Each structure stands twice: as C-alpha cells, then as structure tokens.
C-alpha cells in the first residue's frame, strides 16, 4: 500500500518579514560560493521551478519565486527567504528545511516557457522551468515533492509500500519556538515572522487501486534554539 501526505503548506508571514531587519547572514549548507549565493537575485519573471544551467552558483539546483518568497532548492535542502526590502536591500534570515539523506533532486512536468539568461561569459538559453521538484529518497522509500499552492510553497510526501513513515525526521534551521496548536498546524517563529505548516490531506492506496483517507498529524521530535525537528503520525 502507498501513502500520500499532500499539501503540507509552507506559509511565511511576509508582511512582518518585509518590515523586519536581517539579524543574520544567509547560512548555506554548502560553504563554497556563500557570498555569491547570498547576493543572487534572479529576475521576477521566472516561470515555475527553474533549473540551474550555470546562471546561479553551482550548489543551486532549482530556483523559484512566489508572492514575496524566494525558494532556493539545493541538493539536500529547501531554503525559503523573504525577498529583500528593495529600498534598503536588507537580506532577511532564511528558513532552511533539510533532508541530508536525499539521493537525488529532479524537476517534474516541464512548463512550455523557456528562460534566457545573459551572463558575463555569454548566454544560457532555453533553460526550463518545472511545475514541481522531487527529492528522491529523503528516507528509505520516501520521496518529497515541492510544488506551488496558490501564492505559497507546499510539499507532498510519497511513502512507498513497506516504508516506515515513523522513521522520518525533518529538521528546520533558522526557527525559534515551535507550537502545535489544536488546529494541527505546526507553527515556528523566526526573525522574519511566523512560518506555518499544515497538512492538507492524507490517503492510502491499496493493491487494487482503492483510495482510503487516513488521519495524520505532526510529531514534534525536538525543539532546540534555532532548530526544530519533526515527523509525522498517520
């Protein structure tokens, strides 16, 4: 049987974020090219999750913007950052969702629009954008799919038959106190505002193709200063 957790919505308090001042520099999981990644500001006309073909630092695999949030997808992390104040150019602290065990990251469902970048060493043409990006094997038998949900970013978990969802532990860096209210929302406070995650739906598909709704909830594993670790119960 296969289990889906769909619509884990990542909502960042953008209004508060744009008024906040940066309290720390961007902490990239990769040390190389840190300053370049910190100052990379792609254009505002990107369509979907755009693949990196040399227009950004090498550690970036895909990049997307939605609303007032930028998403940088690395090989082992999803970095969410409020866009800077255009007048003061203040770089706000990011929220980093890490999956160090990910086996690969790839785009899914290419969009018809291509992108063209003018670089110092030439041009990079026909760079594709994708509707979603999948991280394969963030835990044995578990994939994570990053996608758009209206004006926000969301991710789905696909759990293969026989895989243990209870063994999955995701860590989030750049957050403070963590709350799990009665609404089932996982809320994390950051210097840029509050980040909320909500489970949209969960279901199981049996061997005959029938679909069964399942109750699911967040499981808080650890809440340390600057880092939260959580999992799921189904």
């Amino acid at each position: 049987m296969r289990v889906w957790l769909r619509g884990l919505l990542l909502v960042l308090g953008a209004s508060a974020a744009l008024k906040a001042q940066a309290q720390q520099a961007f902490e990239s999981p990769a040390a190389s090219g840190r300053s370049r990644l910190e100052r990379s500001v792609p254009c505002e006309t990107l369509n979907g999750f755009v693949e990196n073909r040399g227009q950004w630092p090498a550690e970036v695999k895909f990049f997307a913007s939605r609303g007032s949030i930028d998403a940088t997808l690395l090989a082992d992390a999803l970095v969410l950052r409020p866009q800077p104040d255009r007048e003061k150019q203040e770089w706000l602290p990011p929220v980093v969702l890490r999956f160090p065990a990910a086996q690969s990251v790839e785009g899914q469902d290419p969009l018809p629009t291509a992108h063209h970048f003018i670089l110092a060493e030439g041009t990079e043409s026909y760079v594709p954008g994708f509707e979603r990006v999948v991280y394969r094997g963030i835990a044995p038998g578990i994939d994570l799919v990053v996608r758009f949900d209206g004006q926000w970013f969301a991710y789905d978990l696909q759990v293969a038959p026989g895989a243990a969802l209870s063994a999955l532990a995701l860590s989030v860096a750049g957050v403070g106190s963590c709350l799990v209210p009665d609404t089932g929302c996982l809320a994390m406070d950051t210097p840029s505002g509050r980040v909320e995650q909500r489970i949209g739906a969960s279901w199981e598909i049996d061997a005959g193709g029938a679909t069964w709704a399942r109750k699911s909830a967040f499981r808080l594993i650890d809440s340390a200063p600057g880092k939260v670790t959580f999992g799921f119960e189904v």
Side-chain angles (χ1 to χ4, degrees):
M1 290 180 282
R2 186 178 300 275
V3 178
W4 276 91
L5 273 74
R6 182 171 176 83
L8 293 115
L9 193 62
L10 294 163
V11 179
L12 185 60
S15 297
L18 293 177
K19 297 177 182 179
Q21 292 186 351
Q23 298 185 17
Q24 64 188 53
F26 172 55
E27 182 182 353
S28 170
S32 62
R34 172 177 172 177
S35 61
R36 292 178 58 217
L37 181 58
E38 183 177 316
R39 296 302 177 186
S40 294
V41 185
C43 63
E44 300 176 355
T45 57
L46 300 178
N47 188 20
F49 294 91
V50 179
E51 185 178 5
N52 185 13
R53 295 277 183 88
Q55 69 272 23
W56 298 308
E59 60 264 33
V60 177
K61 303 304 179 183
F62 295 88
F63 185 93
S65 291
R66 182 57 60 101
S68 59
I69 306 299
D70 291 343
T72 303
L73 286 74
L74 309 178
D76 59 356
L78 169 63
V79 180
L80 296 173
R81 182 203 283 278
Q83 293 172 357
D85 185 300
R86 298 305 180 187
E87 294 182 358
K88 299 180 180 180
Q89 285 296 301
E90 293 175 337
W91 287 87
L92 304 175
V95 172
V96 185
L97 182 63
R98 301 186 188 279
F99 0 90
Q103 301 298 304
S104 63
V105 55
E106 60 190 56
Q108 286 188 332
D109 298 327
L111 297 169
T113 303
H115 302 80
H116 307 276
F117 297 89
I118 300 176
L119 310 176
E121 60 273 17
T123 61
E124 187 63 48
S125 300
Y126 301 103
V127 179
F130 297 86
E131 288 190 3
R132 57 187 60 84
V133 172
V134 57
Y135 284 88
R136 301 285 187 191
I138 63 169
I142 301 177
D143 295 339
L144 183 145
V145 181
V146 185
R147 60 180 176 83
F148 298 113
D149 191 318
Q151 289 299 307
W152 307 107
F153 292 98
Y155 64 89
D156 304 331
L157 292 177
Q158 183 178 10
V159 184
L165 180 62
S166 59
L168 176 65
L170 296 177
S171 65
V172 185
V175 298
S177 60
C178 179
L179 306 173
V180 184
D182 296 336
T183 59
C185 170
L186 179 64
M188 296 168 288
D189 292 326
T190 80
S192 302
R194 172 160 291 189
V195 175
E196 296 181 353
Q197 295 192 60
R198 306 164 190 161
I199 299 177
S202 306
W203 65 90
E204 187 173 12
I205 304 174
D206 65 19
T211 301
W212 306 86
R214 298 298 185 204
K215 292 182 179 180
S216 59
F218 291 103
R219 177 171 59 92
L220 184 60
I221 299 173
D222 185 34
S223 181
K227 180 180 178 182
V228 168
T229 303
F230 65 95
F232 303 91
E233 296 176 348
V234 176

